Amino acid sequence: MNKNKIQIKNIIVELDNKVILKNISFDFHSKKTVCVIGEGSSGKTTLLKSLVGLVPIKSGEIFINGTKLDSFSKNKGLLNNFGVVFQKDALFDSLLVWQNIMFKKLNLGLAKEQLIETANFFLKKVGMDSSVLKLYPNELSGGMKKRVAIARAVSDNPNFLILDEPTAGLDPIKTNKIFKIIKNLANDFEVSVFTITSDMKGAIKYFDELIMLRKSKIHWKGSTKIVKKQKDQFLRELVKKA
C-alpha cells in the first residue's frame, strides 16, 4: 500500500483567459521520483503551483492522500504535507542559515541549541557542514543556496518534496550533486519527489518516471528506463540533447 499518493484528474488551468494546462491526469506516490519536463511555456511551473494550491484550477480535481485539494487558503493543514523548493530558492535574507532551515519551528518555544542541532542534521543531509549555520544567504554561492533551500524543505518531514528547477543556473558538476542529494533524500526519508527540470539528462539519470508536457497537455509519460527506446519524434529530439 502506498504511504503517499497524489491524484490529478483532468485538471484545466486558465490564466488571463488563456489555457495553460488542459486535461492533465496522472498519479504519483511513495517510492517513486517523478520529473516533469517540456519546452518553454508548456505549463510546467503552473502545474507545480496548482499542485500546492497556489494557482486555482478551472475544472478537474486534485487529491492529496485521498483528500480533495480546494485552495491554499482552505487547505493549509493539508498542504503541510509538502516541502517546496522554489526556483529562486526564496531564502529569507535577514535570517541566518540555521534560522532559514528551521523557519517553521522558530516560534514554537524550542531551545535555540536544539534548533541549531536539528538544522545541522539537515545540512549534513544536503552535503554541507556546520560552518555555514551562522552565515546569511548573501554569503552563500548559488549551489549552496539551493542546498539550504532543500534542507529547509525536508526539515519538517514532509510526505512530498516538490522542486521547481532545482538545478537552474548551476554548472554540470553542481547539477549532478543536487540531483544526487534529491535522490538520497527520497530514499532516506521515504518522501515522494516531484521535480520540474529543463535538464533532460538529469531527468533520465536520476528519476524513476517522466512526464513530458507539450502545448499545455501531457505528451508522454512513463518510466525513464524506456525513454531512449521511444519512437516519438519530439521525445527523441529532447533525448538527443541529453
Side-chain angles (χ1 to χ4, degrees):
M1 183 176 180
N2 295 319
K3 176 183 175 184
N4 307 318
K5 187 173 184 179
I6 293 181
Q7 297 168 287
I8 289 87
K9 297 183 177 181
N10 298 311
I11 67 168
I12 294 176
V13 176
E14 290 187 2
L15 297 174
D16 298 324
N17 296 318
K18 180 181 179 182
V19 176
I20 308 298
L21 296 172
K22 186 174 183 181
N23 298 325
I24 302 294
S25 296
F26 64 88
D27 296 353
F28 84 95
H29 51 77
S30 56
K31 298 182 180 178
K32 290 289 184 182
T33 53
V34 178
C35 188
V36 177
I37 197 162
E39 56 193 355
S41 302
S42 58
K44 300 188 298 295
T45 296
T46 300
L47 176 58
L48 180 147
K49 290 181 177 179
S50 298
L51 191 60
V52 297
L54 294 176
V55 170
I57 60 176
K58 181 179 181 182
S59 62
E61 298 173 307
I62 298 175
F63 293 90
I64 313 296
N65 289 336
T67 301
K68 186 175 179 181
L69 176 68
D70 292 317
S71 68
F72 183 83
S73 59
K74 293 181 180 179
N75 293 108
K76 287 183 179 179
L78 181 63
L79 291 170
N80 284 334
N81 285 294
F82 290 102
V84 182
V85 178
F86 296 101
Q87 185 173 342
K88 299 297 184 181
D89 308 322
L91 297 178
F92 299 103
D93 293 336
S94 61
L95 299 181
L96 299 170
V97 165
W98 75 264
Q99 293 171 318
N100 266 283
I101 295 172
M102 302 309 299
F103 179 73
K104 286 188 176 182
K105 294 182 170 65
L106 288 181
N107 296 315
L108 297 183
L110 300 174
K112 178 180 176 180
E113 294 76 13
Q114 181 183 347
L115 291 171
I116 292 175
E117 183 179 345
T118 305
N120 192 39
F121 168 80
F122 286 105
L123 266 184
K124 290 179 180 178
K125 286 293 182 180
V126 296
M128 300 176 74
D129 60 47
S130 58
S131 64
V132 302
L133 281 169
K134 296 184 179 180
L135 297 180
Y136 287 98
N138 65 4
E139 297 177 277
L140 305 178
S141 67
M144 293 169 75
K145 289 179 182 178
K146 294 283 185 185
R147 285 188 276 169
V148 170
I150 294 171
R152 180 178 63 185
V154 296
S155 68
D156 207 31
N157 297 311
N159 292 323
F160 306 98
L161 178 59
I162 312 294
L163 307 104
D164 185 7
E165 297 282 7
T167 62
L170 301 182
D171 62 47
I173 293 175
K174 291 178 181 176
T175 290
N176 281 325
K177 185 175 289 186
I178 293 294
F179 280 137
K180 286 178 182 177
I181 287 169
I182 293 168
K183 191 172 184 67
N184 289 338
L185 290 173
N187 293 328
D188 291 349
F189 293 104
E190 295 185 348
V191 61
S192 304
V193 174
F194 185 85
T195 303
I196 288 172
T197 186
S198 299
D199 188 327
M200 187 67 173
K201 185 176 181 180
I204 294 172
K205 184 176 180 180
Y206 293 103
F207 293 85
D208 299 316
E209 296 183 356
L210 185 72
I211 296 172
M212 179 171 293
L213 297 183
R214 188 184 186 199
K215 297 180 179 179
S216 305
K217 298 180 179 180
I218 291 180
H219 182 76
W220 186 90
K221 61 180 176 180
S223 170
T224 52
K225 294 179 180 178
I226 64 172
V227 169
K228 293 183 178 180
K229 300 176 183 178
Q230 300 304 299
K231 295 182 179 179
D232 179 86
Q233 187 60 36
F234 182 73
L235 187 59
R236 291 177 69 88
E237 286 298 319
L238 284 182
V239 170
K240 283 181 183 179
K241 299 176 183 178

